[in-house]
């Protein structure tokens, strides 16, 4: 599998380095986004198709050469129009994976089609960028990567933290109250209250 890993070129003492998976079938567009991401202190892994992206992420049935913990992809940026698998189809695969759905996904396209943009955003894309992508666009992606990392940490904490809202103490039984129903009617009580007259013979 042809995968290009490009370091950021930034010193480790600077800002946090993010790992971006860039997906584009155009060599020229792929080089442009790689260059912009590198300027923004991002490590870039570039692939030329949606299927290769899934192979790299390890969710296409084939195991990646790296473990998922080693990948640590902070953001996926993909072209929309690609042969074989579109960026929209790749987006659906990622958002349908319990392992990857927290990773922010950004779609790129040279066609400004509103229905296409709305469909991607409704499916969970963070943004839809028009080509050619500018440095200001790439710098805005850092907010998505920071937010995505925080959401992933929150999900991890929820999995590890027991549910404190549940009161698991055994329930105390209420004291049983015995209700005794009166067996006599009111007419019976009146009969008992009347004096008894005894006639002597």
């Amino acid at each position: 599998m042809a995968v290009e890993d490009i370091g950021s070129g930034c010193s480790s003492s600077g800002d946090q380095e993010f790992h971006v998976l860039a997906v584009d079938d155009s060599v020229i567009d792929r080089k442009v986004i790689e260059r912009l991401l590198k300027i923004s202190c991002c490590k870039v892994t570039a692939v030329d198709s949606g299927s290769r992206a899934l192979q790299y992420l390890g969710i296409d049935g084939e195991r990646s050469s790296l473990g998922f913990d080693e990948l640590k992809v902070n953001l996926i940026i993909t072209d929309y129009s690609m042969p074989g698998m579109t960026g929209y189809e790749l987006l659906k695969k990622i958002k349908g994976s319990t392992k990857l759905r927290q990773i922010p996904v950004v779609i790129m396209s040279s066609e400004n089609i509103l229905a296409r943009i709305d469909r991607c955003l409704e499916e969970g894309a963070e943004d839809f960028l028009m080509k050619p992508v500018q440095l200001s666009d790439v710098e805005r992606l850092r907010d998505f990567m920071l937010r995505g990392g925080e959401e992933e940490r929150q999900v991890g904490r929820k999995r590890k933290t027991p549910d404190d809202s549940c009161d698991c103490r055994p329930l105390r039984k209420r004291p049983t109250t015995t209700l005794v129903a009166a067996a006599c009617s009111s007419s019976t009580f009146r009969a008992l209250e009347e004096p008894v007259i005894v006639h002597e013979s």
Side-chain angles (χ1 to χ4, degrees):
M1 177 176 62
V3 177
E4 299 176 67
D5 284 308
I6 303 173
S8 65
C10 297
S11 62
S12 58
S13 60
D15 295 335
Q16 179 182 355
E17 183 181 74
F18 293 105
H19 182 194
V20 179
L21 176 61
V23 189
D24 202 317
D25 63 309
S26 168
V27 176
I28 295 176
D29 289 343
R30 200 162 61 241
K31 292 297 182 183
V32 169
I33 193 66
E34 287 173 5
R35 176 68 175 169
L36 294 175
L37 288 167
K38 186 176 179 181
I39 292 173
S40 298
C41 294
C42 293
K43 176 185 176 182
V44 186
T45 298
V47 295
D48 59 5
S49 67
S51 60
R52 290 191 183 277
L54 294 180
Q55 288 177 22
Y56 182 77
L57 295 168
I59 61 171
D60 70 331
E62 296 184 21
R63 297 183 64 85
S64 171
S65 58
L66 297 174
F68 181 69
D69 291 337
E70 297 178 74
L71 296 175
K72 292 183 180 177
V73 175
N74 302 107
L75 182 134
I76 299 168
I77 183 166
T78 177
D79 184 32
Y80 184 94
S81 299
M82 296 184 293
M85 179 183 294
T86 66
Y88 176 71
E89 292 169 335
L90 176 60
L91 169 67
K92 290 183 67 176
K93 289 277 189 181
I94 293 168
K95 294 305 176 182
S97 168
T98 55
K99 184 174 67 173
L100 304 176
R101 65 178 53 166
Q102 298 298 327
I103 301 177
V105 180
V106 174
I107 309 292
M108 305 177 291
S109 180
S110 57
E111 299 176 296
N112 188 8
I113 302 176
L114 292 179
R116 178 182 294 178
I117 296 172
D118 290 341
R119 184 169 61 169
C120 290
L121 295 177
E122 289 173 1
E123 192 63 37
E126 296 290 340
D127 205 348
F128 196 103
L129 304 180
M130 296 304 302
K131 290 183 176 181
V133 178
Q134 305 295 323
L135 182 59
S136 58
D137 297 325
V138 172
E139 290 174 346
R140 196 169 72 245
L141 301 181
R142 294 184 71 87
D143 294 335
F144 300 139
M145 290 184 276
L146 287 168
R147 187 165 67 244
E150 179 59 29
E151 289 176 357
E152 186 175 356
R153 286 190 292 272
Q154 289 177 359
V155 170
R157 285 196 293 268
K158 287 180 181 179
R159 288 173 180 168
K160 294 177 183 178
T161 305
D163 186 1
D164 295 332
S165 63
C166 174
D167 187 357
C168 299
R169 293 174 296 176
L171 295 175
R172 294 181 180 179
K173 292 184 178 181
R174 292 183 178 181
T176 304
T177 303
T178 304
L179 299 178
V180 180
C184 301
S185 64
S186 58
S187 59
T188 305
F189 282 111
R190 285 196 300 270
L192 291 174
E193 292 173 355
E194 293 176 356
V196 179
I197 301 174
V198 179
H199 298 279
E200 295 181 359
S201 57

